[in-house]
Amino acid sequence: MVTKTEETQLNRLENQVDNGGGGAWEYLCLVKKLKVRRPDKVLRHGLSILNDPKKRSALGPDVWTLYEQVSIAAMDCQCLDVAKDCIKVLQKQFPESKRVGRLEGILLEAKGLWAEAEKAYSSLLEDNPLDPVLHKRRVAIAKAQGNFPTAIEWLNKYLETFMADHDAWRELAEIYVSLQMYKQAAFCYEELILSQPTVPLYHLAYADVLYTLGGVDNILLAKKYYASTIDLTGGKNTKALFGICLCSSAIAQLTKGRNKEDKESPELQSLAAAALEKDYKQRAPAKLLLLTSALKSLKTS
Amino acid sequence: MGELKYELSQNAYIKLVLHARKHKTAAVNGVLLGRVSPQNDAVVEIADSVPLFHSHLGLLPNLEISLIMIEEHYSAQGLGIVGYFHANERFDDLELDSIAKNIGNHICRYFPQCAVLLLDNKKLEALPKGKDRSPVMQLYIRDASKNWKLVGSDGGCQLLTKEPAANVVLMDYISSEKWQDVVDFDDHLDDISKDWLNPDLFK
């Protein structure tokens, strides 16, 4: 998960390296730090360093992590020969290493040899029962085969032990959403908000799930979380602003004819609408008319 | 349903495939814009497409906003939402999932001849090796019992590209990495200065 500033910084660096301006090592380190998935770039720029003996030796002991990073990127791009070569280098340098053993397992996955990969991980897990990466690779195998019930089961089991692994909670939430299991997805986002209450993305995702679940209570709650997202992002999150408008419209529809016990203050909706219009006027003027009529249709529906 | 022909314009077709190619590791979706042909009501002309999302396809809020704005924009051109495009996350997954069916059902309420297209990655991969002119997508139509059925080559309905050389152009764009320039609704909501109409994509 990256912030906008991080993404801009990464893209700028990427452009620089792509166009021969140097900075490959900085780029690769940033990609690793931000945990983003850019396998073709990592492969290209990583190999440019690894294939140059001078550049290699300049890295010192960091060269081994680069081999690891490049081997994974190679597998992601289905360049299995490159991956195999990198792993061989690492095997020579670190014989009997469990970390290299993991890479061998991932290579089996990349080849689609699920049973063999599963066996490799199980045997590694015997000596390292608490290695989170191994557990997650097993979930990945289930997911790659489209075996969602197993993936969910193992991911839940993993989270019983490693309940602070936010990426795993997010992964589980996304699997649930893709299967339209919204209640379960909501639970995951609740966990994330509990442990990291100032991350706006979780508030936003939770609100989206609540809205999708539907019903007045859920939508009222969704509105609160869109509001907290707006709070946490200084009013700059377009999706949250739209969320407020959608919620207000949905609540109005659902409570039509009811006595308005919940004094739904229309101010929040008008504020959100005004913020959207201001933003579109400035940054997307060609779409302003569309926005205004969309907001109007939400108000009157 | 009868024997309907779905004529997919080259731009609509390529935009959707490029969008899927841009987000290789995710499921993506899009909507098809068009109308029943004024000359022949057995033909549905799909004139354009809008790539929608590459994450959280199963969540409603962004979908609702996008459909409101898209419908509003295209109705001025006499076009409506006539179908839905979906590309699964995994390469060999050719199953139409519940999200795609639900969205398809929703569109059917306004356009009963709604087409649901599913990207066929194997066909896409095989393009450079053959001379296949048919779109690299599967066509699904809702039958009388409201189930989504795959239209086979022996079926009454048909999906074809309006321009016969569409696949050649597609392969060209893929090799020149044109997919990097595709903007979807997700991108727009993250940065509203990005235009989901992709006006300059094919210039």
Side-chain angles (χ1 to χ4, degrees):
Chain A
M1 223 179 34
V2 280
T3 63
K4 233 180 219 166
T5 7
E6 286 169 337
E7 190 172 2
T8 326
Q9 184 193 9
L10 180 65
N11 289 336
R12 206 184 324 130
L13 200 45
E14 192 177 83
N15 262 324
Q16 185 188 303
V17 193
D18 279 346
N19 294 314
W25 177 241
E26 285 75 32
Y27 172 69
L28 292 164
C29 288
L30 190 55
V31 167
K32 194 150 189 226
K33 174 166 160 236
L34 298 177
K35 292 206 240 177
V36 288
R37 197 173 178 176
R38 310 230 170 155
D40 13 28
K41 306 282 173 160
V42 170
L43 187 57
R44 192 188 327 163
H45 300 306
L47 281 180
S48 75
I49 298 181
L50 291 177
N51 288 333
D52 180 331
K54 241 194 278 177
K55 289 193 189 154
R56 254 195 345 250
S57 51
L59 288 180
D62 286 333
V63 73
W64 310 117
T65 36
L66 184 57
Y67 272 112
E68 185 184 39
Q69 189 180 9
V70 169
S71 72
I72 293 179
M75 290 188 258
D76 217 356
C77 296
Q78 276 289 302
C79 297
L80 301 183
D81 292 326
V82 174
K84 220 186 299 187
D85 290 339
C86 290
I87 296 178
K88 256 199 209 114
V89 170
L90 288 168
Q91 278 167 335
K92 200 157 164 225
Q93 181 67 19
F94 305 100
E96 308 284 323
S97 155
K98 312 273 173 9
R99 193 160 157 180
V100 179
R102 278 193 326 220
L103 285 178
E104 289 162 10
I106 302 179
L107 183 57
L108 288 168
E109 280 185 68
K111 290 184 183 165
L113 300 169
W114 311 117
E116 285 86 339
E118 173 69 56
K119 224 191 305 177
Y121 293 138
S122 299
S123 82
L124 282 166
L125 272 168
E126 272 170 21
D127 300 323
N128 307 274
L130 289 179
D131 183 341
V133 176
L134 290 172
H135 286 283
K136 289 196 273 192
R137 284 321 316 165
R138 288 173 79 204
V139 177
I141 291 178
K143 202 179 168 202
Q145 294 176 278
N147 188 347
F148 290 112
T150 308
I152 289 174
E153 184 194 324
W154 283 349
L155 199 41
N156 269 305
K157 227 185 262 170
Y158 168 78
L159 283 166
E160 277 169 27
T161 318
F162 299 93
M163 53 195 82
D165 188 335
H166 303 128
D167 288 337
W169 280 112
R170 278 181 66 213
E171 177 67 33
L172 185 55
E174 285 176 19
I175 295 179
Y176 280 136
V177 168
S178 73
L179 297 171
Q180 300 199 285
M181 296 166 70
Y182 299 119
K183 277 214 183 80
Q184 294 86 334
F187 178 77
C188 295
Y189 286 122
E190 283 163 9
E191 288 290 323
L192 284 166
I193 293 175
L194 266 173
S195 59
Q196 292 188 297
T198 58
V199 173
L201 222 74
Y202 301 148
H203 292 245
L204 181 63
Y206 187 47
D208 280 343
V209 170
L210 286 169
Y211 182 89
T212 309
L213 270 168
V216 178
D217 293 332
N218 284 330
I219 298 186
L220 280 170
L221 193 55
K223 195 169 178 182
K224 293 209 170 82
Y225 280 92
Y226 282 127
S228 61
T229 307
I230 294 174
D231 202 15
L232 290 166
T233 56
K236 295 211 188 82
N237 191 303
T238 311
K239 290 179 187 176
L241 291 166
F242 273 124
I244 297 279
C245 300
L246 283 169
C247 284
S248 304
S249 167
I251 291 168
Q253 272 207 313
L254 289 169
T255 57
K256 230 189 272 205
R258 277 209 227 162
N259 288 326
K260 294 251 186 92
E261 316 108 15
D262 273 297
K263 286 293 176 197
E264 265 306 298
S265 53
E267 295 140 9
L268 193 51
Q269 180 178 24
S270 351
L271 279 172
L276 281 167
E277 284 177 338
K278 180 165 170 215
D279 203 18
Y280 268 77
K281 208 185 223 170
Q282 236 182 353
R283 300 196 295 139
K287 297 274 184 301
L288 182 57
L289 276 174
L290 267 185
L291 170 76
T292 326
S293 98
L295 291 174
K296 216 192 315 187
S297 75
L298 280 177
K299 259 222 182 100
T300 54
S301 63
Chain B
M1 186 53 72
E3 320 224 325
L4 279 175
K5 196 159 78 158
Y6 292 87
E7 209 180 57
L8 188 49
S9 85
Q10 179 170 291
N11 284 356
Y13 172 59
I14 293 180
K15 222 188 288 188
L16 295 168
V17 182
L18 288 181
H19 179 225
R21 173 60 185 80
K22 182 174 182 185
H23 302 282
K24 266 204 295 197
T25 59
V28 301
N29 59 5
V31 282
L32 312 173
L33 288 313
R35 60 181 183 170
V36 175
S37 163
Q39 286 93 16
N40 179 354
D41 60 5
V43 174
V44 174
E45 299 171 345
I46 302 172
D48 203 355
S49 61
V50 175
L52 287 176
F53 307 108
H54 54 269
S55 69
H56 292 147
L57 270 56
L59 294 179
L60 279 182
N62 297 336
L63 179 63
E64 289 185 13
I65 286 291
S66 66
L67 291 182
I68 292 176
M69 302 233 259
I70 291 172
E71 246 169 348
E72 178 83 27
H73 172 83
Y74 281 97
S75 64
Q77 300 171 27
L79 300 174
I81 297 180
V82 299
Y84 171 76
F85 169 78
H86 194 96
N88 282 326
E89 188 178 0
R90 286 174 298 118
F91 179 83
D92 49 9
D93 183 4
L94 275 177
E95 202 185 296
L96 198 64
D97 71 6
S98 58
I99 294 174
K101 289 184 191 163
N102 284 349
I103 300 181
N105 287 338
H106 173 81
I107 298 175
C108 274
R109 278 158 57 190
Y110 305 96
F111 189 75
Q113 304 98 314
C114 169
V116 168
L117 304 181
L118 185 66
L119 182 68
D120 186 334
N121 286 297
K122 288 212 179 95
K123 245 182 151 188
L124 175 60
E125 202 190 31
L127 268 189
K129 307 176 193 134
K131 289 214 197 302
D132 197 349
R133 285 176 168 207
S134 56
V136 294
M137 300 168 181
Q138 291 188 335
L139 169 65
Y140 287 80
I141 300 286
R142 218 163 71 159
D143 66 16
S145 9
K146 303 228 172 137
N147 292 321
W148 288 97
K149 284 271 145 59
L150 170 64
V151 173
S153 45
D154 55 341
C157 296
Q158 240 194 334
L159 172 72
L160 37 73
T161 49
K162 187 159 170 223
E163 296 84 341
N167 279 334
V168 178
V169 180
L170 172 63
M171 283 192 276
D172 212 27
Y173 279 135
I174 291 181
S175 43
S176 65
E177 303 201 347
K178 194 94 173 116
W179 37 264
Q180 305 221 31
D181 301 337
V182 175
V183 171
D184 64 9
F185 220 89
D186 244 338
D187 300 326
H188 172 77
L189 290 174
D190 279 338
D191 177 355
I192 58 171
S193 64
K194 296 201 172 135
D195 192 349
W196 44 267
L197 282 170
N198 290 287
D200 303 324
L201 185 62
F202 297 116
K203 293 240 174 84

